[in-house]
Amino acid sequence: GAGVSQSPSNKVTEKGKDVELRCDPISGHTALYWYRQRLGQGLEFLIYFQGNSAPDKSGLPSDRFSAERTGESVSTLTIQRTQQEDSAVYLCASSFTGDRGEQFFGPGTRLTVL
Amino acid sequence: AQKVTQAQTEISVVEKEDVTLDCVYETRDTTYYLFWYKQPPSGELVFLIRRNSFDEQNEISGRYSWNFQKSTSSFNFTITASQVVDSAVYFCALTRDSTGTASKLTFGTGTRLQVTL
């Protein structure tokens, strides 16, 4: 009965470096979402995957951000050439498709760009 | 476009006081879902409630209650007899009715609730 897991829990990187954040959704969940939460802010939608459909990338802030998902399992969010404004907590969530939006969230990865 | 507004940035109350967290939303969808999530200091989002746009009945769960008023596009959350463990950031969120498809959540900026002894 594992929930959504994310790794690493914390990541400190230097400006200009690339980072990869990983999300393991709940087994059987067909939809997977990435959100970003800047300090003291609400969650901003980044991207979601649903089965074999094309992902909704409408929330990605720039072309430095990309994400992949292998089948209905693991997803990786990649940020290239990180900037200080990328510092945030990146949250992953998963759900059954069409489950009326009830998403289960992971603990997040706190990214700090120096 | 969808929008959720939580005008109260931070609220401080003394334990046992009642407190209401406001949420106002905007959407062009005729059917949608509203949510409240709790984010304690540990950081993990905890689901509290989901409400369908067709169901305007108020809901009570223990010390928690929710008042959904479609006429004013509001979905307010009341904690009765607050406790220190209620201290957290509370988020209101909105999604369109997504039967058969996934749908992103639009979040408000959150209200930080501090309950002191």
Side-chain angles (χ1 to χ4, degrees), chain B:
Chain B
Q2 299 184 327
K3 184 179 180 182
V4 176
T5 300
Q6 295 179 256
Q8 303 152 306
T9 306
E10 193 161 344
I11 301 175
S12 291
V13 298
V14 177
E15 202 174 39
K16 298 183 184 176
E17 286 185 5
D18 298 347
V19 59
T20 295
L21 310 182
D22 298 333
C23 173
V24 174
Y25 63 92
E26 296 174 30
T27 181
R28 294 179 181 173
D29 295 310
T30 53
T31 59
Y32 49 89
Y33 285 83
L34 293 159
F35 299 77
W36 277 94
Y37 282 87
K38 175 181 180 180
Q39 188 176 44
S42 61
E44 200 153 342
L45 278 163
V46 177
F47 167 82
L48 295 179
I49 189 172
R50 175 183 62 199
R51 176 49 51 90
N52 183 299
S53 55
F54 289 117
D55 182 4
E56 289 194 68
Q57 279 194 334
N58 291 332
E59 182 157 342
I60 298 174
S61 176
R63 296 185 297 108
Y64 295 170
S65 62
W66 290 269
N67 183 354
F68 176 32
Q69 292 197 340
K70 216 167 175 179
S71 60
T72 56
S73 298
S74 65
F75 186 45
N76 296 338
F77 172 31
T78 297
I79 302 175
T80 303
S82 59
Q83 299 177 1
V84 172
V85 293
D86 296 328
S87 297
V89 180
Y90 291 85
F91 291 98
C92 182
L94 167 70
T95 189
R96 59 172 50 94
D97 189 347
S98 60
T99 304
T101 65
S103 182
K104 65 185 180 185
L105 287 167
T106 299
F107 283 84
T109 51
T111 296
R112 180 177 299 278
L113 175 64
Q114 185 73 37
V115 183
T116 56
L117 294 171

Side-chain angles (χ1 to χ4, degrees), chain A residues 55-103:
Chain A
D56 180 342
K57 304 179 181 179
S58 60
L60 293 178
S62 77
D63 58 8
R64 295 187 296 105
F65 288 72
S66 63
E68 292 183 349
R69 187 180 186 194
T70 306
E72 292 186 350
S73 59
V74 172
S75 175
T76 303
L77 177 68
T78 301
I79 308 174
Q80 295 178 311
R81 305 181 301 282
T82 52
Q83 303 293 314
Q84 288 184 333
E85 63 262 28
D86 298 334
S87 296
V89 175
Y90 290 82
L91 288 152
C92 176
S94 69
S95 73
F96 289 110
T97 298
D99 194 28
R100 294 160 177 83
E102 185 168 354
Q103 299 173 19

